[in-house]
Amino acid sequence: MNVEETKARASPREFSPKDDLPEEYRKAATRMLEFHANSEIMGAYLERPFIRKAPSLERKMAFSAKVQDEIGHGQLLYRAAESLGVKTRDEMLDDLAEGKGKFLNCFHYPLESWVETPMIAFFVDGAAMRRQATLKKSSWEPYAHAMDKICFEEGFHVKHGESILGELMNGSKKEQEMTQEAFDKWWPRILQFFGPTDDQSSHHDFAADVGLKVMTNDELRNAFLNTYLPKAKKYGLEIPDEPRIRENDDGTYDVVEDDLDWDEFFTIAKNDYEPGVGQIEGRKHAQDAVEWVRNALDEQEAIAAGGQSPQAAD
Amino acid sequence: MIWEVFRQNQAGDYHTHCGNVHAPDREMALLFAEVQHGRRKPTNSLWVVPQEEIGEVDTEDAKFGGTTNKSYRFARTYNVEPAAEEVEASEKELTEAERKRGEA
Ligand SMILES: [Fe+2]
Ligand SMILES: [Fe+2]
């Protein structure tokens, strides 16, 4: 299939590993999936310390279940990505460790205090879920199938995150103030989740034409603001004056782009932002620490495949 | 040789198990699967898999989902209005799964 034929056939769940797809498609789909998979993993590492820091047994259990889910989402997505035949799972995981793999802007920032957890667990997971729900219509069938499973689980994440937010905003004055502070800090980053406005996004056109991207950045940001902005207000959070958000008559929003820090955003996109660099390193250490497990599994796989492992032959 | 058969209704759907056939090789297994399982039910694709290649774990060997109360894994547990339609849809699926587990 050439690019034109691919564009003509593009529709939800249309292409599977059986199809002979052009390299442009395979590369674009791999880039999206790898970014998505890396983000699941880096997000999980960010939330992991809160299994320990959670204030109650229920929250501890929920965070532990959530982190486990996110790592699983990463694995599902690496599978969907490697079935495109461009990169293997090992290559993607190594690139992530070496600081070459890209991932979501929000996961380059440190997550230090309990009051910050709903910024990720409610707002970022909510934004991610908005986007993921549209990707159930991806033209790459393995991606759409991964989304079925992931969206099935995400409802728990988002509601759990919201329940923490509600608890904090109904808590002591101090808790409310600290949560508001965390919100002020995270809100611009969350608005940047969907990337720059459409005219600045370089990969969109092709990805949209071949059915990999189903909604534009602007449409997704609007849909997110339509539901999550009222939620924030409902819990008594004040929306910061900047970045300015204008509500249009048709229910859409314009975010004043100049009020957002795009230098920081693009520094992050290059993996050059300092806290993010430390977080990439931290994950690399974790990956290195369990190298012996991967080696043992590889050896086992070689034996199961019928051959004898080199060590066993000695 | 026994081959397990999986049918996919339409492109993009999941292949689901629909039965098995007795056949000497893969080619014949595909032919028998086509005749037995692809004639009436809507079929876009069939898979055949040698039965002995399938691994299984069932309720005799495993306690799926654990033995203690794990309601914290389910959206319904958290007493907030779903923020968006996709959250609501997920909650429905989770609650349905929870209900069926309860019946099992
Ligand atoms: Fe996830
Ligand atoms: Fe999540």
Side-chain angles (χ1 to χ4, degrees), chain A residues 59 63 114 117-118 159-169:
Chain A
R59 297 292 187 215
F63 258 99
W114 176 253
T117 57
K159 285 194 74 189
H160 173 240
E162 184 173 346
S163 128
I164 298 172
L165 180 66
E167 192 173 72
L168 288 166
M169 292 307 285

Side-chain angles (χ1 to χ4, degrees), chain A residues 36 39-40 66 69-74 77 125 128 132 150 153-154 157:
Chain A
H36 195 163
S39 301
E40 299 281 356
K66 179 181 192 239
D69 283 350
E70 304 295 14
I71 295 288
H73 296 172
L77 290 162
D125 270 57
Q132 290 175 145
I150 288 176
E153 296 174 353
E154 281 294 332
H157 299 182

